[in-house]
Amino acid sequence: GWDVTSQPPARTATCPPARHLEVKRRAKGQDTLTVTRNEILAGFNQGDKFILAIVLVDGETCAGPYYVRRPFSQEPDWATTSVNLNLSQLLDRAQPPA
């Protein structure tokens, strides 16, 4: 599934839908980010509720999280166990928290 479920605060009488975050940390300077087949399927099944959160780690410091909404463009093939994504391209699509 995902790592964290976050419930945004209600701004009206109804509660907004929960957000499901898959958190990935990566050492600064790396080129790829690995996601599993199950993480990709969870992203597809949750649609707009799913957010990929990326944290870049450099020794004792970190940058992020960087939020990527709808990070996956296609479902994995039936025999796929994991996929390497281009980290730079993901970060180009990242948005600040909403």
Side-chain angles (χ1 to χ4, degrees), residues 14-69:
T14 60
C15 290
R19 301 286 185 221
H20 305 299
L21 287 84
E22 176 62 39
V23 181
K24 293 289 188 178
R25 83 176 169 171
R26 212 52 194 128
K28 187 176 179 182
Q30 298 298 308
D31 296 327
T32 61
L33 181 81
T34 302
V35 292
T36 67
R37 180 179 194 278
N38 287 340
E39 292 164 346
I40 296 170
L41 291 175
F44 270 99
N45 291 334
Q46 293 301 312
D48 288 333
K49 295 179 185 179
F50 185 87
I51 300 170
L52 180 63
I54 303 169
V55 178
L56 301 178
V57 179
D58 185 12
E60 296 293 318
T61 62
C62 64
Y66 301 99
Y67 295 120
V68 182
R69 289 171 173 75

Side-chain angles (χ1 to χ4, degrees), residues 78-97:
W78 64 273
T80 300
T81 56
S82 64
V83 175
N84 287 330
L85 303 175
N86 183 292
L87 183 56
S88 177
Q89 290 178 3
L90 286 170
L91 294 175
D92 286 345
R93 289 190 45 211
Q95 302 172 343

